[in-house]
Amino acid sequence: DAKTTQPTSMDCAEGRAANLPCNHSTISGNEYVYWYRQIHSQGPQYIIHGLKNNETNEMASLIITEDRKSSTLILPHATLRDTAVYYCIVRVRGTDSWGKLQFGAGTQVVVTP
Amino acid sequence: EAGVAQSPRYKIIEKRQSVAFWCNPISGHATLYWYQQILGQGPKLLIQFQNNGVVDDSQLPKDRFSAERLKGVDSTLKIQPAKLEDSAVYLCASSVGQLRAFFGQGTRLTVV
C-alpha cells in the first residue's frame, strides 16, 4: 500500500474552515484515499473516502488532485468537538477484496475558541 | 444499530501472564480487524479477517499473540505470555467490504 505523509499538528479557529493536507505521491490506480479521525479515548471514526473525484458528505469534503498524488480534507466550519487526530489512509482494492486498513501517525488538530 | 462490542474495557496483568480479549462485531459485517494502539501512536493492524479466513496477519507477533474468529462472527485475541511492551489499547473494528469500518471502545491493557 502507498505511504502517506501528513503534518504532525495544526491549529484551527472555531468557525473557520480546517484544511488538512495529505501527500500520497506513490498511490496507484486501484488505491483509494480514506480519512478517519480519533477523538481522545475513543476508537477511530470514519469520515470520508474517494478514488479520484472530489467527495462531500455531512462531515467533510475530500479534494483529490488530478494526479492523485495528494488530497485535502476540508472541515467547513470547525467546532471544538472536531479536536482530534486525523488519519489519511491509502487502501488498495483488489479484484475481489480490499487491502489492509493501515493507520499512520496522523495530524493532531486542535480547534481553539 | 448496535455498535462493535468489546470486553473487558480494562485489564491489568503481570508480565508472563495470559490475557484474552473478546469482540462482537456489528451483525452482518464480514470483515473484522484487531488493532494495537500504543500511547501516542496510531493504531497498528494486527490481524484482519474476512468471514472465517485471515486476510492479513503480517504484523501479528505469532510467538505470543493468537486470534480466531469462530463461525465468522465473534472474535478473540489472546496474548500468552504478556510482556511489558504489550501495554496498549486493543481495538476491534468491523466493516462490510469497502465501506466504513466501525470501531469498538477498545480494551486498555496494562502489563506490570
Side-chain angles (χ1 to χ4, degrees), chain A residues 37-49:
Chain A
R37 73 179 183 184
Q38 188 172 25
I39 295 169
H40 183 62
S41 296
Q42 297 183 20
Q45 174 191 26
Y46 166 88
I47 301 174
I48 199 166
H49 77 280

Side-chain angles (χ1 to χ4, degrees), chain A residues 34 36 38 41-46 49 57-58 87 91 93 98-105, chain B residues 33 35 37 41-45 48 55-56 58-59 91 97-101 103-105 108:
Chain A
Y34 280 72
Y36 280 76
Q38 188 172 25
S41 296
Q42 297 183 20
Q45 174 191 26
Y46 166 88
H49 77 280
N57 62 21
E58 66 279 3
Y87 298 98
R91 192 180 191 191
R93 170 70 189 269
W98 285 82
K100 295 183 286 189
L101 188 61
Q102 192 76 277
F103 291 78
Chain B
Y33 318 77
Y35 290 86
Q37 187 168 26
Q41 299 181 16
K44 170 187 166 184
L45 180 67
Q48 181 172 325
V55 172
D56 187 279
S58 57
Q59 298 190 97
L91 294 160
Q98 80 280 15
L99 299 179
R100 62 182 69 183
F103 283 78
Q105 294 272 59
R108 183 176 297 278

Side-chain angles (χ1 to χ4, degrees), chain A residues 102, chain B residues 33-37 43-48 54 56-62 65 77 79 89-91:
Chain A
Q102 192 76 277
Chain B
Y33 318 77
W34 281 103
Y35 290 86
Q36 179 194 58
Q37 187 168 26
K44 170 187 166 184
L45 180 67
L46 294 176
I47 189 166
Q48 181 172 325
V54 175
D56 187 279
D57 63 356
S58 57
Q59 298 190 97
L60 186 74
K62 298 180 185 65
F65 286 64
L77 176 70
I79 308 175
V89 175
Y90 290 85
L91 294 160

Side-chain angles (χ1 to χ4, degrees), chain A residues 58-102:
Chain A
E58 66 279 3
M59 290 183 69
S61 295
L62 174 61
I63 308 298
I64 303 174
T65 58
E66 193 169 339
D67 63 7
R68 304 212 316 126
K69 294 182 184 299
S70 65
S71 61
T72 301
L73 179 75
I74 300 173
L75 307 177
H77 305 286
T79 71
L80 299 179
R81 286 175 292 185
D82 292 323
T83 292
V85 178
Y86 286 76
Y87 298 98
C88 171
I89 300 163
V90 168
R91 192 180 191 191
V92 69
R93 170 70 189 269
T95 52
D96 59 358
S97 65
W98 285 82
K100 295 183 286 189
L101 188 61
Q102 192 76 277

